[in-house]
Amino acid sequence: MKFYNVILASASPRRAELIKKIPWLHATVFPSAAEEEPFCGGSVADYVQTLAKRKALWVLERVDGTVVGADTVVSIDGEVLGKPRSPQDAENMFRKLCGRTHEVITGYCVANHAKNVVNFEKTYVTFGAFIDKIVYNYIDSGAPFDKAGGYGLQDSELFPLIERVEGDADNVVGLPVAALEKTFKEFIEWL
């Protein structure tokens, strides 16, 4: 398959790295400034798909090409955990997540001026018990503050907390690479 150029509507360095796992895609980054409305109930999957589409279409209004937008959230008991705003907020998130299983849902949109495809991927992550030293050191490092749910699955200092990942681990980091690659192959065939 030949190379296909896309525009990634994200400022996330993790997404920029993950999209490189699709060897036949060449992505340039154009961060979206689309407004992100807070979750107000309903389907979390619908919410992240709406945000992903909004991000992709915002960029598509400004550039020509095929755009990928994505949005990832952590959800537990119907509550969406965004990026923590303070150390106390991060600690509260860990207290909710530890000893339980939660969902990580990424909505993604592939769009150009002819069509758009929107979908989502869900992964389940189980944390073990809250371990003070690990959690407080992680919070003190500043790592939680740019991540949905206040954590990054790829962060090795958290490995002792993670008991199980059911589904696509890339999805938890911020982009469901396998699902996105499948969507792209279908998208290209539709053109």
Side-chain angles (χ1 to χ4, degrees), residues 15 36-41 44 47-48 51 71-85 88-98 100-105 125 127 144-152 172:
R15 285 196 184 110
E36 291 188 37
E37 295 175 11
F39 180 69
C40 296
V44 177
Y47 171 69
V48 293
L51 291 178
D71 196 82
T72 303
V73 299
V74 170
S75 175
I76 189 162
D77 298 332
E79 179 183 0
V80 168
L81 305 181
K83 298 172 184 172
R85 296 175 301 281
Q88 184 62 52
D89 196 21
E91 179 184 343
N92 291 341
M93 288 183 185
F94 274 102
R95 290 201 180 277
K96 287 178 185 176
L97 298 173
C98 284
R100 308 207 33 223
T101 300
H102 61 274
E103 301 173 337
V104 180
I105 305 170
V125 179
F127 277 10
F145 302 106
D146 70 337
K147 298 173 180 79
Y151 78 93
V172 183

Side-chain angles (χ1 to χ4, degrees), residues 121-136:
E121 185 77 13
K122 185 185 296 187
T123 304
Y124 296 93
V125 179
T126 303
F127 277 10
F130 188 99
I131 301 171
D132 291 8
K133 183 176 181 180
I134 292 171
V135 172
Y136 294 132

Side-chain angles (χ1 to χ4, degrees), residues 1 22 24-25 110 178-191:
M1 183 175 274
I22 304 174
W24 48 271
L25 280 185
V110 178
L180 182 62
E181 183 172 19
K182 182 176 184 246
T183 298
F184 257 113
K185 287 178 179 176
E186 294 167 358
F187 189 86
I188 291 167
E189 287 177 10
W190 293 330
L191 298 179

